[in-house]
């Protein structure tokens, strides 16, 4: 039988993850009216399986159960089976992850396996990975299926009761906002800094033990804390230390791809040595930004190099021909996790001459015991270049040269291996993070090619995913699909504002304004403040979520609040400032209880209470940009600088009134108050230092 003769309904989808399951013997449906109606009509419970293409355990469960005709037959007989890509439908994933935690009192994850009532799609049982045979205290998948189906048909009253209780629990997730007379203060910021200090690993950096995640929002927050006190009698050097030690240890670790650049999703140990090998665009967009900021803040060459190599990786391996950025690289290749990345010393010694190998092996630990699964070597900095130079009696510059040569040779060899799968869908939200990272790195590293890359991605999203004043969330194979979510609008708005500081294009400002208007019109919670994750005209689900805490992604509400504050100050638009303030009031109870889980929101709170400085430079384009570049030499996270050519067209009134003069001039605005024109660069530098 040809594979194509038993392809299921997923064959018509664009998601690489769903297409991975198109030849399963399971009668899969994508989420939609057809599946939901069939479940209601036949009174069959729904088996909802949520995962993503780079997820290792999703692949394991697929091979064990979804590709197995016996397991598939049980699924097909007892359930209507729906497969969801969590990256395309984060709205569904968000709801059912919360439900799974409420039902089981355990953490969620992927693959997520939920069993839903066909009447209202409320879940009555769930879990994550289930094995084909009973093990690790988990039942065999087919045994579980039969028990769940029997429970559904025999215990309808119990399910209805539990379902009502679950719905009530969801309804209570939205706490009321701070009252109108409550003063917002920086108190949660100080509390969060202390909580992060308490969780900080002083030896290896990062927060907490294994598994260890990068948490770029925490690092960015700590850099800003240090910078805010840098001029004080007692600057907060410990915040700087926590941020920079974490960045240094990650850069030296195996979580960083020492040959190709870019970061894996997390480390399985506390030392950043062995990663879970999947590489996600969202991590790298955020880490590119934070390493570029750290390079500016400290002048450390290591941070500049890591930012540069991460940007190079994104452009080389993740950019689509049309200019958008793809989503992820798998952890697995040829059926084995990490196979693409690991080495044997003999293989490396064949590829390098003896002098280069002597340096490379010492630096990356090939002269030590295997560190991956007892038989392979995953590259991780064990010894510094200075120590190796001393031992071998050569100059440190020579060590650096040999390492660079060796890394290039090994990268060439690695590129000839069987590559891990790449998820080639373009997600608007993750592209927003990539645009922001590229734009910040372009300024910090003085690389105009990164500004080109950021601008190309903005143009791609505007051309392919922007229709009639609304965004679409995902693009692949010429098709843009799915009404966009809060994160799409917020992250893209932030990215466009960063790009405007790197390269002014009036059409980008118009785009940013249109994104802000769509946010206010379709996402705002007009009753309590803040923004819902889905738009007002989105498909009706069992819950319309509104979240303020950071996860692997920063909270959409946080980025929306910060971006609206910045755009509101730039344009003198009080509606944007008011919406940001309402968001912070809505989040205030959460900020007081769990400040360290909301570091992105704390940055927005700071900028609300102490508005950033906005500098607008007008003049002949090249000279205006040189003034901007001079200010960009220092790490000033609470300053925005826009270089706008004298002949720029289509400027809104608040910017047009900062008129171009016969000579280059700058206007420095703090809050709603702007200076008289500053007519010399030295005066501008002096004024912005005050």
């Amino acid at each position: 039988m040809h594979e194509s003769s038993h392809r299921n309904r997923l064959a018509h989808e664009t998601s690489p993850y769903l297409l991975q399951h198109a030849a399963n013997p399971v009668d899969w449906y994508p989420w939609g009216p057809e599946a939901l109606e069939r479940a209601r009509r036949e009174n069959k419970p729904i088996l909802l399986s949520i995962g993503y293409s780079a997820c290792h355990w999703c692949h394991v469960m697929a091979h064990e159960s979804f590709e197995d005709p016996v397991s598939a037959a049980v699924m097909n007989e007892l359930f209507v089976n729906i497969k969801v890509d969590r990256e395309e439908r984060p709205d569904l994933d968000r709801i059912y992850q919360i439900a799974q935690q409420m039902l089981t009192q355990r953490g969620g994850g992927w693959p997520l396996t939920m069993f839903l009532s066909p009447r209202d799609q409320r879940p009555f049982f769930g879990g994550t990975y289930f094995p084909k045979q009973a093990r690790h205290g988990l039942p065999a998948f087919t045994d579980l299926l039969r028990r769940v189906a029997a429970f559904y048909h025999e215990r309808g009253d119990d399910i209805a009761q539990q379902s009502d209780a679950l719905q009530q629990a969801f309804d209570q997730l939205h706490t009321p906002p701070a009252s109108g007379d409550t003063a917002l203060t920086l108190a949660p910021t100080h509390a969060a800094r202390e909580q992060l200090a308490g969780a900080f690993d002083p030896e290896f950096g990062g927060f907490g033990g294994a598994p260890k995640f990068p948490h770029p929002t925490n690092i960015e927050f700590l850099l800003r804390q240090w910078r805010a006190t840098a001029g004080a009698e007692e600057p907060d050097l410990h915040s700087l230390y926590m941020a920079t030690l974490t960045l240094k240890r990650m850069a030296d670790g195996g979580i960083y791809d020492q040959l190709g650049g870019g970061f894996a999703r997390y480390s399985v140990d506390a030392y950043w040595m062995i990663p879970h090998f999947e590489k996600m665009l969202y991590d790298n967009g955020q880490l590119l930004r934070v390493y570029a900021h750290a390079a500016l803040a400290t002048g450390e060459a290591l941070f500049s190099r890591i930012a540069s190599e991460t940007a190079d990786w994104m452009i080389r391996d993740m950019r689509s021909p049309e200019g958008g950025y793809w989503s992820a690289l798998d952890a697995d290749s040829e059926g084995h996790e990490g196979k693409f990345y690991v080495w044997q010393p003999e293989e490396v010694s064949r590829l390098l001459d003896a002098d280069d190998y002597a340096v490379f092996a010492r630096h990356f630990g090939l002269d030590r015991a295997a560190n991956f699964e007892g038989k392979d070597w995953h590259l991780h900095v064990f010894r510094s270049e200075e120590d190796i130079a001393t031992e071998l009696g050569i100059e440190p510059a020579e060590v650096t040269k040999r390492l660079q040569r060796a890394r290039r040779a090994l990268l060439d060899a690695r590129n000839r291996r069987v590559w891990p799968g790449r998820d080639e869908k373009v997600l608007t939200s993750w592209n927003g993070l990539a645009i922001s990272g590229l734009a910040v790195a372009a300024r910090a590293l003085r690389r105009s090619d990164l500004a080109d890359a950021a601008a190309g991605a903005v143009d791609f999203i505007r051309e392919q995913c922007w229709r009639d004043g609304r965004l679409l969330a995902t693009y692949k194979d010429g098709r843009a699909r799915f009404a966009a979510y809060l994160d799409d609008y917020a992250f893209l708005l932030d990215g466009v504002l960063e790009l405007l500081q790197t390269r002014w294009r009036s059409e980008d400002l118009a785009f940013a304004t249109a994104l802000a208007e769509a946010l206010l019109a379709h996402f705002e919670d007009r009753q309590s403040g803040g923004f819902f994750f889905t738009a007002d005209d989105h498909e009706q689900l069992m819950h319309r979520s509104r979240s303020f805490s950071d996860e692997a992604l920063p909270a959409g509400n946080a980025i929306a609040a910060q971006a609206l504050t910045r755009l509101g100050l730039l344009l003198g638009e009080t509606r944007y400032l008011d919406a940001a303030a309402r968001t912070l009031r809505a989040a205030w109870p959460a900020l007081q209880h769990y400040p360290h889980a909301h570091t992105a929101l704390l940055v927005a709170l700071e900028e609300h209470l102490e508005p950033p400085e906005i500098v607008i430079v007008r003049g002949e384009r090249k000279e205006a940009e040189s003034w901007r570049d001079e200010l960009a030499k220092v790490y000033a996270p609470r300053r925005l600088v826009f270089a706008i050519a004298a002949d720029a067209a289509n400027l809104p009134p608040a910017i047009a009134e900062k008129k171009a003069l016969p000579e280059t001039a700058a206007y420095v605005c703090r809050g709603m108050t702007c200076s008289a024109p500053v007519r010399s660069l030295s005066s501008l530098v002096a004024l912005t230092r005050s």
Side-chain angles (χ1 to χ4, degrees):
M1 186 184 286
H2 294 296
E3 188 183 270
S4 59
S5 64
H6 63 105
R7 284 169 81 76
N8 56 50
R9 290 167 184 79
L10 302 183
H12 307 296
E13 294 298 305
T14 51
S15 155
Y17 175 66
L18 298 187
L19 290 170
Q20 284 170 7
H21 295 82
N24 291 168
V26 177
D27 187 14
W28 288 119
Y29 287 79
W31 181 278
E34 188 186 358
L36 302 181
E37 178 49 43
R38 183 186 157 196
R40 269 193 296 271
R41 190 173 64 245
E42 297 181 12
N43 190 29
K44 268 189 176 179
I46 293 165
L47 191 166
L48 174 66
S49 176
I50 303 180
Y52 60 103
S53 70
C55 160
H56 174 73
W57 286 101
C58 300
H59 298 323
V60 172
M61 192 164 175
H63 295 319
E64 287 181 346
S65 296
F66 305 150
E67 293 169 11
D68 170 49
V70 176
S71 303
V74 178
M75 291 170 70
N76 294 340
E77 179 195 348
L78 300 176
F79 298 93
V80 171
N81 302 290
I82 297 180
K83 182 55 95 170
V84 164
D85 181 340
R86 66 120 176 170
E87 294 166 359
E88 284 189 337
R89 294 298 305 262
D91 54 332
L92 293 169
D93 184 52
R94 189 170 283 236
I95 289 168
Y96 290 112
Q97 292 285 355
I98 294 169
Q100 195 267 350
Q101 289 168 40
M102 288 177 174
L103 288 171
T104 65
Q105 303 299 304
R106 285 201 197 100
W110 301 277
L112 184 67
T113 309
M114 297 300 282
F115 297 93
L116 320 181
S117 161
R119 287 186 301 281
D120 49 21
Q121 292 88 58
R122 291 178 187 168
F124 60 91
F125 184 74
T128 51
Y129 162 79
F130 289 105
K132 188 176 176 184
Q133 268 88 38
R135 63 174 184 270
H136 311 311
L138 294 167
F141 187 50
T142 49
D143 291 349
L144 175 81
L145 294 175
R146 290 189 178 95
R147 295 205 321 251
V148 168
F151 183 79
Y152 171 75
H153 291 294
E154 293 162 14
R155 306 280 289 279
D157 290 348
D158 292 349
I159 288 173
Q161 232 174 340
Q162 177 185 280
S163 177
D164 290 342
L166 186 70
Q167 190 65 57
Q168 280 179 336
F170 266 109
D171 295 342
Q172 286 162 8
L173 288 174
H174 288 186
T175 51
S179 62
D181 57 356
T182 303
L184 303 186
T185 70
L186 288 175
T189 299
H190 306 312
R193 187 235 173 262
E194 295 314 309
Q195 287 169 328
L196 289 174
F200 178 64
D201 177 342
E203 192 174 357
F204 296 103
F207 305 92
K212 214 174 236 185
F213 288 80
H215 296 303
T217 50
N218 290 350
I219 304 169
E220 189 90 53
F221 169 78
L222 290 169
L223 280 176
R224 290 176 65 110
Q225 290 308 295
W226 161 73
R227 185 65 187 83
T229 64
E233 272 186 34
E234 291 189 20
D236 182 1
L237 294 175
H238 191 56
S239 281
L240 179 65
Y241 176 71
M242 288 189 279
T244 53
L245 181 74
T246 301
L247 292 171
K248 176 157 187 3
R249 292 284 190 261
M250 287 199 305
D252 286 344
I255 192 173
Y256 183 67
D257 181 349
Q258 299 292 342
L259 299 182
F263 290 83
R265 197 161 73 92
Y266 65 88
S267 168
V268 300
D269 51 60
Y271 328 111
W272 306 111
M273 188 190 295
I274 301 300
H276 188 31
F277 284 89
E278 64 200 25
K279 288 167 87 172
M280 316 299 290
L281 180 66
Y282 64 77
D283 288 316
N284 286 284
Q286 293 178 84
L287 287 165
L288 170 57
R289 175 183 176 129
V290 81
Y291 272 94
H293 276 153
L296 264 189
T298 65
E300 277 267 347
L302 173 67
F303 298 154
S304 295
R305 174 170 74 81
I306 299 301
S308 227
E309 290 173 0
T310 299
D312 290 344
W313 169 76
M314 278 168 54
I315 291 168
R316 183 185 68 237
D317 290 353
M318 301 304 285
R319 182 163 63 171
S320 76
E322 301 130 305
Y325 289 84
W326 292 318
S327 296
L329 284 176
D330 266 11
D332 304 12
S333 54
E334 301 182 81
H336 297 280
E337 184 176 3
K339 184 170 182 181
F340 182 70
Y341 297 98
V342 297
W343 296 90
Q344 291 289 320
E346 309 77 61
E347 180 189 10
V348 176
S349 69
R350 280 198 306 273
L351 291 163
L352 304 178
D353 68 30
D355 286 347
D356 289 359
Y357 182 77
V359 166
F360 190 89
R362 285 171 170 81
H363 190 57
F364 289 117
L366 296 180
D367 56 349
R368 296 167 183 247
N371 65 349
F372 183 61
E373 296 185 345
K375 59 184 174 49
D376 291 308
W377 279 256
H378 178 54
L379 303 181
H380 164 275
V381 175
F382 280 94
R383 295 185 61 192
S384 71
E385 295 182 27
E386 293 75 17
D387 285 356
I388 295 167
T390 303
E391 186 190 334
L392 297 180
I394 56 179
E395 288 298 314
E398 177 61 22
V399 172
T400 304
K401 199 164 82 180
R402 290 185 193 178
L403 282 174
Q404 286 171 340
R405 196 161 54 216
R407 288 168 71 220
R408 277 198 301 272
L410 263 63
L411 182 62
D412 285 346
R414 194 180 80 181
N415 285 339
R416 293 192 288 273
R417 293 177 174 178
V418 176
W419 274 63
R422 181 167 55 198
D423 188 319
E424 294 185 355
K425 68 175 179 294
V426 175
L427 294 167
T428 300
S429 58
W430 298 7
N431 272 257
L433 297 171
I435 290 160
S436 174
L438 289 164
V440 167
R443 298 197 296 273
L445 305 173
R446 299 298 174 94
R447 282 185 56 179
S448 63
D449 61 317
L450 303 188
D452 295 341
V458 169
D459 293 343
F460 169 80
I461 297 289
R462 189 164 39 209
E463 284 160 21
Q464 300 296 344
C465 300
W466 179 245
R467 308 256 169 89
D468 305 320
R470 301 291 290 279
L471 278 174
L472 293 165
T474 176
Y475 172 92
K476 187 169 183 294
D477 298 336
R479 283 171 73 193
R481 303 180 65 196
F482 301 109
Y485 310 98
L486 169 61
D487 290 0
D488 298 295
Y489 287 89
F491 298 172
L492 185 58
L493 174 56
D494 179 64
V496 173
L497 285 173
E498 288 295 350
L499 180 58
L500 280 164
Q501 296 176 72
T502 307
R503 178 178 296 171
W504 182 271
R505 301 190 300 179
S506 294
E507 65 270 25
D508 286 346
L509 181 63
F511 189 31
T513 307
L515 291 169
E517 291 297 335
L519 260 180
L520 265 56
H522 298 291
F523 290 84
E524 193 176 13
D525 180 344
R526 292 191 179 85
Q527 197 177 338
S528 302
F531 297 91
F532 291 111
F533 189 68
T534 51
D536 54 355
D537 52 1
H538 190 80
E539 172 191 355
Q540 289 281 294
L541 301 171
M542 66 174 283
H543 175 65
R544 194 177 176 204
S545 69
R546 193 196 63 176
S547 169
F548 297 110
S549 59
D550 301 320
E551 293 168 3
L553 298 171
N557 265 292
I559 304 303
Q562 186 186 14
L564 287 168
T565 296
R566 291 176 158 207
L567 187 61
L569 291 169
L570 178 64
L571 299 179
E573 179 50 83
T574 54
R575 289 184 304 118
Y576 300 163
L577 298 172
D578 292 347
R582 285 193 297 271
T583 303
L584 292 163
R585 288 202 164 276
W588 188 246
L591 279 179
Q592 289 184 294
H593 286 112
Y594 308 106
H596 66 299
H598 298 84
T599 49
L601 203 59
L602 292 173
V603 169
L605 175 68
E606 284 172 5
E607 296 202 353
H608 167 70
L609 293 172
E610 298 171 3
E613 179 179 80
I614 293 182
V615 181
I616 293 176
V617 185
R618 300 298 312 272
E620 185 275 320
R621 186 175 64 82
K622 271 205 163 21
E623 193 177 11
E625 289 178 351
S626 74
W627 283 32
R628 176 202 64 205
D629 292 346
E630 191 60 35
L631 293 186
K633 286 179 178 173
V634 295
Y635 174 58
R638 298 184 190 192
R639 178 189 304 146
L640 287 72
V641 184
F642 300 93
I644 307 173
D647 60 357
N650 303 319
L651 296 177
I655 294 176
E657 67 191 23
K658 321 270 190 308
K659 290 188 169 56
L661 304 176
E663 71 278 19
T664 299
Y667 300 81
V668 179
C669 304
R670 294 183 174 118
M672 294 299 189
T673 310
C674 296
S675 69
V678 182
R679 296 165 189 263
S680 78
L681 180 55
S682 57
S683 302
L684 176 62
V685 169
L687 184 61
T688 54
R689 280 202 183 125
S690 60

